[in-house]
Amino acid sequence: MNITQANFFDPIEQTKYIGHENYVKIEHYINALKSISKLIDLSFYVVDYYKKGFYYVSSNDLFLSGYSQEEVLDLGFDFYPRTVSQEDLNLLFELNDAAFRFFYDLEVSRRDKATISYDFKLKHKNSHRMVMINHKLTPLLLTEGGNIWMSICLVTLSSSEKSGDVHIIMQDDSSRYDLNKRCLQFIKTQPKKLTPKETEIIKLIALGYRTEKVAAILKVSESTVKNHKTQIFKKLHAKTSAEAVFYASKRGLI
């Protein structure tokens, strides 16, 4: 499949008009994001669905993949065919289509509560080295009618070995929807309950204690704590302790 920038915008209902005066109003959002990027070196960018391109790209090297900020802004979604393998590009196209079907099926009042997360590889412009990233996207601004205008995308390193793990988290009720690759639809998953011991461990992790300290407090071996953490990660669909704490807090477990 020969995927171009235009294909990423095919599933989106086109907004008839967003005037210059509205862009002036959102500059405080962008200035706030720029200030945050000075304090914390995050890799993120903002997508403008009305103008069908990138509105802002941070200077962090992770997403830029050897390109300059200006080059990536100019390329927009044509950046992806240059940096993503055909296999992962097909994945991005499929999840993009499924995600916007999910988005438009939501009540307008809930559309800004959805965050999609997925892993894929980026190829560096010069070294051609492939880096697995996690990409999270959430609506930043909607039109009065509830259509998507701008989104913010956060890019971090992923611990996954393969691309995928596509899911949507609804921030208002912490529900999770996983992408079914056969029907290309997001299916709601039922969260698994933590055991009393797992709950005890995730609470200690949330307090900032490392594995050896948790083991000492609970008077068990470090290997026992590690085994419990593995089960906690599986149940919460988390890859890191930070994600596990986040999901556990969202579900009222800690």
Side-chain angles (χ1 to χ4, degrees), residues 67-106:
Y67 292 84
S68 68
Q69 283 178 281
E70 292 75 18
E71 286 176 315
V72 175
L73 277 170
D74 184 58
L75 285 168
F77 277 74
D78 282 334
F79 169 77
Y80 286 115
R82 295 185 178 216
T83 56
V84 179
S85 68
Q86 188 62 50
E87 181 181 5
D88 279 7
L89 202 57
N90 291 338
L91 169 68
L92 296 185
F93 182 66
E94 291 173 348
L95 71 86
N96 181 71
D97 190 56
F100 277 106
R101 288 200 304 271
F102 180 92
F103 174 82
Y104 287 117
D105 283 341
L106 290 171

Side-chain angles (χ1 to χ4, degrees), residues 100-245:
F100 277 106
R101 288 200 304 271
F102 180 92
F103 174 82
Y104 287 117
D105 283 341
L106 290 171
E107 296 177 6
V108 170
S109 62
R110 300 191 70 208
R111 289 179 179 176
D112 63 347
K113 309 298 190 299
T115 298
I116 185 170
S117 173
Y118 46 94
D119 298 319
F120 65 97
K121 296 182 290 294
L122 283 176
K123 180 177 68 176
H124 195 276
K125 177 183 179 181
N126 302 315
S127 68
H128 302 293
R129 184 170 64 95
M130 303 297 290
V131 176
M132 184 72 73
I133 65 163
N134 175 256
H135 186 282
K136 288 183 173 65
L137 180 153
T138 194
L140 178 63
L141 291 167
L142 303 180
T143 65
E144 290 184 1
N147 199 13
I148 191 163
W149 175 13
M150 291 197 181
S151 69
I152 184 168
C153 305
L154 177 65
V155 179
T156 57
L157 287 172
S158 172
S159 59
S160 294
E161 295 182 357
K162 61 180 181 179
S163 302
D165 189 20
V166 185
H167 61 272
I168 291 174
I169 300 291
M170 295 300 300
Q171 302 298 325
D172 52 354
D173 63 4
S174 302
S175 55
R176 172 179 169 130
Y177 298 78
D178 289 337
L179 180 65
N180 184 308
K181 294 183 180 179
R182 286 178 295 180
C183 63
L184 293 179
Q185 292 183 332
F186 283 92
I187 308 299
K188 188 174 183 178
T189 59
Q190 295 299 322
K192 296 180 180 179
K193 294 182 179 180
L194 300 182
T195 66
K197 183 62 69 177
E198 290 166 351
T199 301
E200 200 172 3
I201 288 173
I202 194 65
K203 286 181 178 179
L204 291 173
I205 293 173
L207 292 173
Y209 294 126
R210 296 184 179 275
T211 299
E212 57 270 21
K213 183 63 174 179
V214 173
I217 292 173
L218 299 179
K219 298 180 180 179
V220 297
S221 68
E222 290 185 27
S223 61
T224 297
V225 174
K226 290 178 181 178
N227 289 336
H228 280 302
K229 285 178 66 175
T230 298
Q231 293 304 312
I232 292 170
F233 285 11
K234 286 182 180 179
K235 289 181 178 181
L236 297 178
H237 301 284
K239 297 172 186 173
T240 65
S241 294
E243 283 190 352
V245 169

